[in-house]
Amino acid sequence: MEVSQVRQRVQAIADAADDPEDAHMREDQLLVDVLKVIADSSTDDQARGLANAALETRKIEFERWCA
């Protein structure tokens, strides 16, 4: 994943701002995707650890929804 790809996705979120549910879903997925890249490819042990720890929330079963 390149910074330019993240910027494109951020713009897509901004473009979807009139549909909060869509924008929220896109934002959540972007954050997960960025954390996965950091967890999988960072050479910084602390950054990898932080990303992996944050991604643990994806394993918690609860109802995820947008208003």
Side-chain angles (χ1 to χ4, degrees), residues 4-17:
S4 63
Q5 292 170 305
V6 173
R7 288 189 177 129
Q8 287 174 348
R9 290 176 66 180
V10 169
Q11 184 59 54
I13 293 165
D15 293 345

Side-chain angles (χ1 to χ4, degrees), residues 2-62:
E2 301 292 327
V3 174
S4 63
Q5 292 170 305
V6 173
R7 288 189 177 129
Q8 287 174 348
R9 290 176 66 180
V10 169
Q11 184 59 54
I13 293 165
D15 293 345
D18 61 336
D19 182 348
E21 188 171 356
D22 184 42
H24 186 170
M25 182 178 61
R26 289 171 184 262
E27 179 187 38
D28 285 350
Q29 190 59 56
L30 173 61
L31 297 176
V32 167
D33 291 347
V34 169
L35 284 171
K36 284 180 180 179
V37 170
I38 293 167
D40 293 343
S41 64
S42 178
T43 58
D44 183 307
D45 289 340
Q46 183 174 6
R48 273 196 329 275
L50 289 168
N52 278 311
L55 286 168
E56 288 293 312
T57 64
R58 304 308 294 167
K59 296 177 184 176
I60 300 169
E61 292 188 31
F62 62 92

